[in-house]
Amino acid sequence: MIARVLAFVLLLGSGLALLTWLESRDSFVPMLAPDAPSADGGARLPIGTISIWDRQEFASYGPDGGLKSRLVAEDALSTVNGEQVLIDVKIDMFESESGTTTARITSERAVVELNQSVDQIIPEPSDTIRMQAVVVDVRSGSRLAPLQLTTPSLVVNSANQRFQTVDRVVATSNDVDLEGEGCLFDLNAGRLVFTRDAEATVTAGDGRTARLHSRDALEVLRPPGVGTRPVTVVARGRARLGLSGDEGLALEANEVELEGMGDPDREGTFRFTDLVARGEVVLLARGNRFQCREARFVMSPDGAFGSVRLSGAIEGELDPTTADVAGIDDAALAAANGQRVSLWGRGPMDLRLGTDRGFDLAGPAELAWEDTRLWAEGGLRGVPGSAGRPLSFEAWSGVRVERDAWVVRTEQLEGRWLPESADAPAVIELEALTLATATGQDRDGSMVQLRAREGFALELTGKTWKVTRAIGVDLETGGRRPLTASADRVDDFTVDPVLGPMLSANEHVQVTVDGQFLRGQELTVKGLDDLVVKSSDGPVLLDGPGLHAEAREVRRVGDRVVAVGGASAHLERPGLELDLVAERIEVTGSIDAPADAPLRLRAIGGVNANVVEQDGAERMTIATQDLEVVRQPVPGGDQVQTTVRAREGVVATVVGRVGDHDLVARELDALVIGTPFVRSESADGAASPEAAPERRGSVEARGAVEVESRAPTVILGKGDTFSIDHQGRGTLVADPGRKVSANGTLPGGGQPFDVVGSSIEFDPTSMSIVEPRIEVKDPMRTGDGSGGETPAIIELVATCRRLEATEVSVVFDGDVSFLGTTPALESWTLRCARAELFTEVVPPKPGAEAEGGSKTSTRRRPRELVATGDVRVVFSEGLRAEGDTMTARAFDQRVRVEGTPARLRETGLDFVATYFDIDTVNALWEAGPFYVGPSSLGGEPSKKP
């Protein structure tokens, strides 16, 4: 019985305590239980008679008497530890003036703690009520309304109007959807805080969805003020924001603050007004990744993400192609990681979003990809890669591009990235808009610099980079063969890792290499060891030490110079000068090398050349289709040997120590061994060359040779081979089975002749003919050569095995046969083993020296003809003679035949004597003692041999 009374008192105290707790909350007044009988039999009883086993309701009223809140519990229990347990609780809150519901809290179970001091009869409830399976629906009256929270548990603090839980909470509102672990909701402050693993989701009017997630705290609040105020969501402790839609943004930072409000034009959607990220910020936009200390977004009036300003330690990775990635996880970034472009800058950096995408980064700033680095003191601006549009950028002030061993410098640079395709690799295009230089190294490590006064366009592909256009260009190289070049325009300057630098330039081209100057309209350089200068308007000019050339095209390959198209050249070397024109001229060998260095010249097509020793002792003029001049040291000595070779249709003139000759042949070789150099020390210790006196050379022509020698021997001949040795001795030779032919004047007497033979040799004082058939005009002319003398023999045709002619005689040797004509035009023949024609000096005319003012040159004339060895002579008048010798004297026109015995036949009689003197003019003869013997001279007069 006592226990029941105590239990009743306890339950009654709990009910009174709950009532006291409610009353303390704005004069909460108990309502009558709907089915409790009144004391006078009516339907209402005061709350003091509460039944704890039935439905309970309580109400509170404001100062104005209006209903403020109502609590309804379907059941109530008390615990032994002084707690009041309410079952199926619903709390409604009202606006006291209008009576509209501002909030409703529903819970399957609520627990109220009771506190009682020693001087209290009725326990007092605490400020806290713990609720389970809770739904909080805030409809109005709070800055965060409308808002609905659902959570497994909730602790309500009545004193400060706060709701708190450690469980997971799902919250929804017109602005934002929230979910997270642990929550603090402050009705008075309009503030909602999640403690960990929280996410806020908003949906914009255009369908974009933003999800803000935090591993730690996430706070939602709305500041006080008149009118609609934006809601602010702040995520701390490594927060992540992902935004779907066209921007494709993802954001990670130590703190992310998102601000916005419901879009009045689109119910249930969110309009962004601000977004700020702070602390180790990572931003991913369409596959482009940025890092900084702070990112502050600027929204457009319709809530779209207009731009974002990044500041503090800015770094980035740009996708140069067209990737669109909305996530920020590593897998998503890796999927976008094709070829990446790194970015760095001091900042700040403005990144434009939406359709007008781009970035502006204050310098100093840097772009880097593969082995390329772009630095700009002023800054960078550009457009990251997006669908249909690759990465493009602009750099200014102190711009520097570094790639391998090359550096490009300029003040303003534009660039874009052309993505890789099935047919071509990725290409980076750069354009310097102001004065620009490209400095690097050739394959041998030597310096190469390209300078463009009005900028250039540059392409980077793999390991190769090239200038596709440059204006006002200067090129300079170092190394063993320094080169400088200038041009108004360059169309191609390529740096290949294997071939080295290659250049194509146009308009007003000038090049200097190895001391040579070239000028033309077009320039092509391949690896700097191969350069070509062309011109379509006037010739290309090459001018340097020892070589001057002009042509439509001039090419240098290492030590080789090639001039093509209407080419002309002037070459000078110690002891040698060469002038020539041809369709193509090629010179191999360093022009400014030592005097005895090897040198080779080749000319092809319509060649006309003039080769002169510098002292004028030797001169050679050559017309041919193929000419080669080779200059090289003579083995075993200090001499320099010059060889001239001509091929195809050679026409040449050789004048000098070897004589004066005109040549026509298929081929010609000329060898000049001369200009030796003896090195001695000068006063300053430097080596100086001194020419030695000896000079030797030779000339050889082959194939259908025609030669005309004018001095010292006059001869015009044809044969298969003609040569002149270093002593001036000429040889005209026929191939086996063929003959040479020649005409000219004999040495000494100067008698004209025509000859056919196997070979002819001659020098300034002699002539030798093998197997000749020679015709001599006026061989026995007398007098001083003035034309008034009477010849003893006016024509002579001879054959023999060999003819030797000198200044004093002409020797016919072996099977000699003569056919001559007397002054009476009678023919005569001579056969013998050997014949010799002797000459003598022609005395000058009286007074010739005085009249001419100079000494008359020495001339020679025939004196006599001597035949020996089985001599047989026949005159056409029927006179025949034979003997051991025959002498024909020019001064008396008489022929003397001697023998042991000599025989003469006339009118059928044979005369025998020791000699016979025959008058060739009157056909008379005389003899010493003679007798008439039997005829031993038979046969008819010889025919012309």
Side-chain angles (χ1 to χ4, degrees):
M1 186 64 160
I2 296 175
R4 290 184 178 181
V5 172
L6 290 176
F8 173 78
V9 173
L10 180 59
L11 291 175
L12 178 61
S14 299
L16 293 175
L18 178 59
L19 178 61
T20 303
W21 179 81
L22 293 172
E23 286 179 344
S24 68
R25 315 294 167 243
D26 295 330
S27 302
F28 221 111
V29 178
M31 300 180 66
L32 294 178
D35 52 356
S38 59
D40 57 0
R44 299 170 63 100
L45 290 175
I47 192 65
T49 60
I50 185 171
S51 169
I52 61 173
W53 296 279
D54 206 346
R55 175 184 176 88
Q56 304 295 318
E57 294 187 19
F58 297 90
S60 67
Y61 299 86
D64 57 356
L67 180 63
K68 190 170 183 180
S69 62
R70 179 174 57 209
L71 183 148
V72 177
E74 298 299 331
D75 204 350
L77 298 174
S78 294
T79 64
V80 295
N81 57 3
E83 293 180 336
Q84 179 72 44
V85 180
L86 304 177
I87 309 299
D88 291 337
V89 179
K90 179 174 69 176
I91 301 175
D92 290 324
M93 298 181 180
F94 304 94
E95 202 280 317
S96 60
E97 293 183 359
S98 64
T100 58
T101 302
T102 59
R104 171 172 288 178
I105 303 174
T106 61
S107 173
E108 294 180 359
R109 182 184 180 92
V111 178
V112 180
E113 296 180 1
L114 301 178
N115 300 321
Q116 183 177 13
S117 62
V118 296
D119 58 349
Q120 288 180 317
I121 299 177
I122 300 176
E124 291 187 357
S126 69
D127 294 334
T128 303
I129 179 171
R130 302 192 304 277
M131 310 181 78
Q132 298 178 357
V134 184
V135 175
V136 179
D137 185 7
V138 181
R139 302 175 184 176
S140 62
S142 171
R143 291 196 294 270
L144 294 180
L147 176 67
Q148 187 178 77
L149 284 78
T150 301
T151 179
S153 66
L154 187 67
V155 177
V156 179
N157 189 304
S158 60
N160 53 21
Q161 295 290 293
R162 290 184 176 181
F163 301 83
Q164 190 169 359
T165 182
V166 296
D167 290 328
R168 190 158 192 84
V169 176
V170 176
T172 60
S173 70
N174 290 345
D175 300 322
V176 59
D177 295 331
L178 305 162
E179 184 175 358
E181 297 290 337
C183 177
L184 174 63
F185 180 28
D186 190 333
L187 281 173
N188 293 330
R191 179 170 172 265
L192 178 64
V193 179
F194 293 88
T195 58
R196 64 189 182 279
D197 192 23
E199 183 174 277
T201 303
V202 297
T203 301
D206 56 3
R208 292 170 297 154
T209 299
R211 289 185 173 85
L212 177 61
H213 181 271
S214 174
R215 292 199 305 259
D216 298 328
L218 186 145
E219 179 179 358
V220 183
L221 55 91
R222 195 189 304 270
V226 179
T228 303
R229 306 294 295 171
V231 63
T232 301
V233 181
V234 182
R236 299 181 178 87
R238 226 44 216 156
R240 293 184 177 186
L241 172 68
L243 180 67
S244 66
D246 293 339
E247 285 85 356
L249 289 175
L251 184 66
E252 181 176 340
N254 292 339
E255 178 180 295
V256 176
E257 181 176 328
L258 173 66
E259 181 183 281
M261 64 183 70
D263 193 332
D265 299 329
R266 297 180 178 88
E267 185 177 354
T269 61
F270 187 83
R271 176 179 291 180
F272 298 97
T273 58
D274 196 11
L275 175 62
V276 181
R278 303 179 183 89
E280 300 180 21
V281 178
V282 178
L283 171 65
L284 187 66
R286 294 189 174 274
N288 302 294
R289 184 186 184 108
F290 303 93
Q291 294 177 227
C292 60
R293 294 197 182 101
E294 180 179 280
R296 182 175 295 275
F297 288 77
V298 177
M299 306 301 175
S300 62
D302 62 354
F305 284 65
S307 64
V308 55
R309 167 160 285 198
L310 310 181
S311 57
I314 299 170
E315 296 182 18
E317 288 186 4
L318 305 180
D319 181 358
T321 58
T322 57
D324 291 339
V325 179
I328 198 168
D329 57 279
D330 294 338
L333 184 60
N337 268 348
Q339 195 169 24
R340 307 295 292 176
V341 177
S342 299
L343 178 144
W344 176 91
R346 178 179 294 171
M349 173 179 175
D350 291 326
L351 179 64
R352 299 185 303 278
L353 307 171
T355 56
D356 184 26
R357 295 183 180 89
F359 64 86
D360 290 88
L361 175 58
E366 179 185 84
L367 286 178
W369 61 91
E370 292 181 339
D371 52 0
T372 303
R373 176 175 176 263
L374 186 153
W375 176 270
E377 290 289 344
L380 293 167
R381 68 172 60 96
V383 178
S386 60
R389 184 170 60 181
L391 168 68
S392 61
F393 53 86
E394 179 183 349
W396 63 92
S397 184
V399 181
R400 186 173 71 251
V401 181
E402 299 177 359
R403 182 182 178 91
D404 297 330
W406 286 83
V407 179
V408 174
R409 288 182 172 88
T410 186
E411 288 300 306
Q412 188 174 2
L413 182 77
E414 293 181 353
R416 66 174 184 153
W417 193 293
L418 302 180
E420 181 179 358
S421 66
D423 301 328
V427 177
I428 299 93
E429 293 183 347
L430 304 176
E431 183 171 2
L433 304 179
T434 60
L435 172 67
T437 61
T439 306
Q441 294 181 352
D442 195 3
R443 290 169 297 172
D444 61 359
S446 59
M447 181 275 297
V448 179
Q449 183 179 81
L450 179 76
R451 181 176 181 268
R453 294 182 292 277
E454 298 182 29
F456 53 64
L458 180 67
E459 285 187 2
L460 308 179
T461 306
K463 293 293 184 180
T464 300
W465 67 272
K466 68 177 181 178
V467 174
T468 58
R469 178 182 53 80
I471 306 299
V473 180
D474 296 310
L475 175 67
E476 181 179 357
T477 71
R480 65 182 182 87
R481 185 173 289 109
L483 177 147
T484 61
S486 64
D488 288 354
R489 188 180 82 249
V490 164
D491 295 325
D492 184 7
F493 178 61
T494 301
V495 180
D496 187 274
V498 177
L499 301 177
M502 294 179 287
L503 173 71
S504 176
N506 292 277
E507 299 178 16
H508 300 97
V509 171
Q510 296 186 18
V511 182
T512 301
V513 58
D514 284 347
Q516 293 179 352
F517 174 79
L518 295 94
R519 183 178 65 219
Q521 289 183 314
E522 301 178 21
L523 169 65
T524 302
V525 178
K526 298 180 180 179
L528 299 182
D529 283 334
D530 185 348
L531 65 89
V532 179
V533 180
K534 298 180 181 180
S535 180
S536 58
D537 182 15
V540 175
L541 170 67
L542 182 148
D543 198 4
L547 179 63
H548 176 90
E550 295 183 9
R552 289 192 297 272
E553 176 181 317
V554 176
R555 182 175 185 178
R556 274 194 58 109
V557 183
D559 288 334
R560 184 162 58 100
V561 176
V562 182
V564 179
S568 64
H570 175 78
L571 175 67
E572 289 187 13
R573 299 295 283 160
L576 177 69
E577 286 189 19
L578 175 63
D579 290 283
L580 75 161
V581 295
E583 184 60 27
R584 175 187 175 94
I585 300 174
E586 180 177 325
V587 181
T588 303
S590 181
I591 301 300
D592 58 354
D596 57 354
L599 184 69
R600 178 178 179 271
L601 180 143
R602 180 86 180 273
I604 299 175
V607 183
N608 284 279
N610 188 27
V611 184
V612 182
E613 287 195 15
Q614 286 184 340
D615 59 3
E618 300 288 347
R619 298 191 306 277
M620 182 180 300
T621 302
I622 302 174
T624 182
Q625 293 300 313
D626 190 343
L627 177 71
E628 182 179 39
V629 179
V630 178
R631 184 179 175 87
Q632 58 188 359
V634 176
D638 290 330
Q639 289 183 324
V640 176
Q641 170 179 296
T642 302
T643 302
V644 180
R645 296 185 178 94
R647 305 287 185 273
E648 299 183 24
V650 180
V651 178
T653 298
V654 180
V655 179
R657 288 180 296 271
V658 297
D660 184 353
H661 312 278
D662 287 340
L663 298 170
V664 176
R666 285 198 301 268
E667 299 179 357
L668 180 142
D669 283 350
L671 174 62
V672 179
I673 302 179
T675 321
F677 285 85
V678 180
R679 286 170 172 74
S680 62
E681 296 296 325
S682 60
D684 59 359
S688 61
E690 296 180 0
E694 181 184 4
R695 298 169 183 262
R696 297 184 297 116
S698 64
V699 177
E700 181 177 298
R702 295 178 298 276
V705 177
E706 297 181 15
V707 58
E708 181 180 355
S709 296
R710 289 178 293 273
T713 302
V714 178
I715 185 171
L716 178 64
K718 295 181 180 181
D720 295 309
T721 303
F722 175 74
S723 63
I724 311 170
D725 66 15
H726 64 278
Q727 295 177 337
R729 185 171 184 84
T731 303
L732 182 62
V733 180
D735 290 340
R738 295 170 56 86
K739 296 290 185 179
V740 300
S741 63
N743 61 74
T745 59
L746 294 172
Q751 283 77 18
F753 71 89
D754 291 308
V755 69
V756 175
S758 297
S759 66
I760 301 175
E761 294 184 14
F762 60 91
D763 60 25
T765 60
S766 66
M767 179 181 297
S768 176
I769 307 174
V770 177
E771 297 179 348
R773 180 187 180 280
I774 185 168
E775 182 177 351
V776 181
K777 305 295 186 181
D778 297 340
M780 301 295 289
R781 183 174 295 277
T782 61
D784 59 4
S786 63
E789 63 276 359
T790 302
I793 302 173
I794 63 174
E795 184 178 274
L796 178 65
V797 178
T799 61
C800 60
R801 292 182 180 176
R802 189 176 189 89
L803 182 147
E804 298 285 347
T806 66
E807 290 182 343
V808 298
S809 68
V810 179
V811 177
F812 304 85
D813 193 10
D815 295 333
V816 179
S817 176
F818 285 176
L819 174 61
T821 303
T822 66
L825 301 180
E826 298 292 335
S827 63
W828 61 275
T829 63
L830 171 65
R831 294 183 184 277
C832 61
R834 175 185 175 88
E836 187 170 0
L837 177 64
F838 293 93
T839 63
E840 62 183 3
V841 176
V842 177
K845 292 180 180 180
E849 183 175 348
E851 293 175 4
S854 63
K855 189 174 181 179
T856 304
S857 61
T858 301
R859 295 182 63 255
R860 300 186 70 86
R861 63 186 179 188
R863 179 170 57 85
E864 63 180 2
L865 173 67
V866 177
T868 60
D870 194 18
V871 176
R872 297 182 183 186
V873 60
V874 179
F875 296 94
S876 60
E877 294 87 351
L879 187 66
R880 304 168 185 267
E882 65 179 28
D884 297 326
T885 64
M886 185 201 79
T887 303
R889 297 186 297 270
F891 59 86
D892 58 3
Q893 297 89 40
R894 298 178 71 84
V895 174
R896 184 182 182 95
V897 179
E898 296 178 291
T900 54
R903 298 176 183 272
L904 185 145
R905 182 179 183 183
E906 185 181 23
T907 64
L909 297 176
D910 290 341
F911 301 91
V912 180
T914 58
Y915 69 90
F916 294 93
D917 286 332
I918 304 170
D919 183 348
T920 59
V921 177
N922 300 308
L924 300 174
W925 61 272
E926 64 180 32
F930 68 91
Y931 63 91
V932 178
S935 176
S936 60
L937 302 176
E940 298 298 326
S942 298
K943 296 182 180 179
K944 198 171 186 178

